[in-house]
């Protein structure tokens, strides 16, 4: 029997991971596990660039629309979910596809994570008080001082992620990243890692164009409907926070769209930094379908 194989398709936001994943899933008659920390939320659609209805109908997707924004979702939860999903997929196929840009989720799936110790409430209270006084910049400065490595790939515009990183390092003296298993677990299946990239001007152009499409498709109305939930961790997300600020300040949606594009480009740059540090990825252009297929064929023999 052929060895079971999970193909990882990673890369920055907006590069074209979904299209390639759907093409490969169709080729191998298999399903896709989304490795995106926001597309799992049922209430978020336009702002998180979910696969289109046609793509969702063409191929089964796991970890899309599986959770509510009121539920906590973490890398540890994703690891358990994805391992269960891949086991299910392997009952019907020798190949599974995982596609997404949340680097920590992909690493948790591939290598495992150690449980993070419980953090005493007083740390969270202390950090919350500092944030209330000093705002986002205060959080960024504190994390930069105590856990600078986290900033390289962390969501630096996301106060809840910053607060989580800060409370762990203050309570344990260790970076939250250190709870990645020092000795990666050995999975019972083969993992092949592919990453997609484009020249920076082309990637940024695609990001800007995608923001324009989101605005045309109704992102403003979607964000307005989510305004009562703006303080939930799931809503500390590029595409929503900029519009929430716009609503609160009676600002211009055009200015908000420009910020969304800017912050998305910044996030894409951090994602590229994260994935390029992992030498086990082989890089392709999203338009190199035949080259990707030829590369994968070497593993499927």
């Amino acid at each position: 029997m052929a060895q079971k194989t999970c193909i990882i398709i990673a890369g920055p936001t907006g590069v074209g991971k979904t299209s390639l994943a759907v093409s490969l899933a169709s080729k191998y008659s298999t399903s896709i596990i989304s490795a995106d920390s926001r597309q799992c939320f049922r209430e978020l659609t336009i702002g998180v660039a979910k696969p289109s209805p046609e793509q969702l109908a063409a191929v089964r997707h796991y970890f899309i629309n599986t959770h509510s924004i009121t539920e906590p979702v973490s890398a540890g939860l994703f690891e358990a979910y994805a391992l269960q999903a891949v086991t299910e997929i392997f009952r019907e196929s020798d190949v599974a596809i995982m596609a997404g840009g949340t680097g920590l989720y992909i690493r948790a799936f591939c290598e495992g994570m150690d449980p993070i110790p419980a953090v005493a409430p007083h740390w969270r209270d202390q950090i919350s008080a500092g944030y209330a006084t000093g705002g986002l910049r205060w959080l960024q400065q504190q994390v930069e001082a105590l856990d600078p490595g986290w900033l390289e790939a962390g969501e630096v515009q996301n106060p809840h992620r910053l607060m989580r990183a800060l409370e762990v390092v203050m309570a344990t003296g260790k970076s939250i990243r250190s709870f990645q298993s020092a000795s990666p677990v050995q999975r019972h299946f083969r993992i092949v890692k592919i990453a997609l990239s484009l020249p920076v001007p082309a990637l940024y152009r695609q990001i800007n164009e995608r923001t324009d499409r989101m605005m045309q498709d109704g992102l403003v109305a979607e964000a307005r409907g989510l305004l009562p939930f703006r303080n939930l961790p799931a809503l500390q997300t590029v595409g929503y926070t900029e519009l929430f600020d716009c609503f609160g300040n009676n600002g211009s949606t055009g200015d908000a769209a420009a910020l969304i594009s800017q912050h998305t480009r910044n996030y894409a740059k951090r994602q590229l930094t994260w994935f390029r540090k992992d030498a086990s990825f082989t890089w392709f252009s999203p338009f190199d379908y035949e080259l990707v297929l030829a590369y994968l064929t070497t593993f499927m023999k």
Side-chain angles (χ1 to χ4, degrees), residues 134-171:
L136 182 65
R137 183 58 188 147
W138 178 85
L139 282 176
Q140 293 168 338
Q141 290 171 339
Q142 295 301 306
V143 175
E144 184 175 14
L146 297 174
D147 190 0
W150 184 89
L151 288 178
E152 294 177 5
E155 296 180 43
V156 298
Q157 300 295 324
N158 185 328
H160 287 272
R161 292 290 174 88
L162 287 160
M163 291 168 78
R164 179 61 173 153
L166 190 55
E167 70 181 22
V168 169
V169 73
M170 290 175 71

Side-chain angles (χ1 to χ4, degrees), residues 47-212:
V48 296
K50 278 180 182 168
S52 68
E54 294 76 18
Q55 290 171 324
L56 292 173
V59 174
R60 179 172 182 183
H61 286 69
Y62 289 80
F63 212 60
I64 298 278
N65 297 326
T66 52
H67 293 74
S68 169
I69 54 176
T70 60
E71 299 176 68
V73 175
S74 65
L77 180 147
F78 176 79
E79 178 191 3
Y81 177 99
L83 289 173
Q84 182 176 345
V86 81
T87 299
E88 183 176 316
I89 293 169
F90 285 152
R91 293 194 188 108
E92 304 293 334
S93 175
D94 290 334
V95 176
I97 309 289
M98 176 176 287
T102 303
L104 184 59
Y105 281 22
I106 293 172
R107 180 178 288 178
F109 172 76
C110 295
E111 302 178 11
M113 290 191 70
D114 294 331
I116 298 175
V119 174
H122 74 270
W123 290 113
R124 191 161 301 167
D125 293 342
Q126 179 179 331
I127 293 165
S128 295
Y131 175 48
T133 302
L136 182 65
R137 183 58 188 147
W138 178 85
L139 282 176
Q140 293 168 338
Q141 290 171 339
Q142 295 301 306
V143 175
E144 184 175 14
L146 297 174
D147 190 0
W150 184 89
L151 288 178
E152 294 177 5
E155 296 180 43
V156 298
Q157 300 295 324
N158 185 328
H160 287 272
R161 292 290 174 88
L162 287 160
M163 291 168 78
R164 179 61 173 153
L166 190 55
E167 70 181 22
V168 169
V169 73
M170 290 175 71
T172 68
K174 299 178 181 179
S175 170
I176 194 169
R177 292 179 63 183
S178 71
F179 292 96
Q180 176 69 35
S181 293
S183 300
V185 298
Q186 295 299 310
R187 300 303 188 195
H188 64 278
F189 48 87
R190 175 171 52 197
I191 295 174
V192 179
K193 293 181 177 180
I194 287 172
L196 303 181
S197 69
L198 285 168
V200 170
L203 176 61
Y204 285 4
R205 183 169 59 252
Q206 288 194 178
I207 288 172
N208 295 341
E209 291 172 352
R210 189 178 70 173
T211 299
D212 291 342

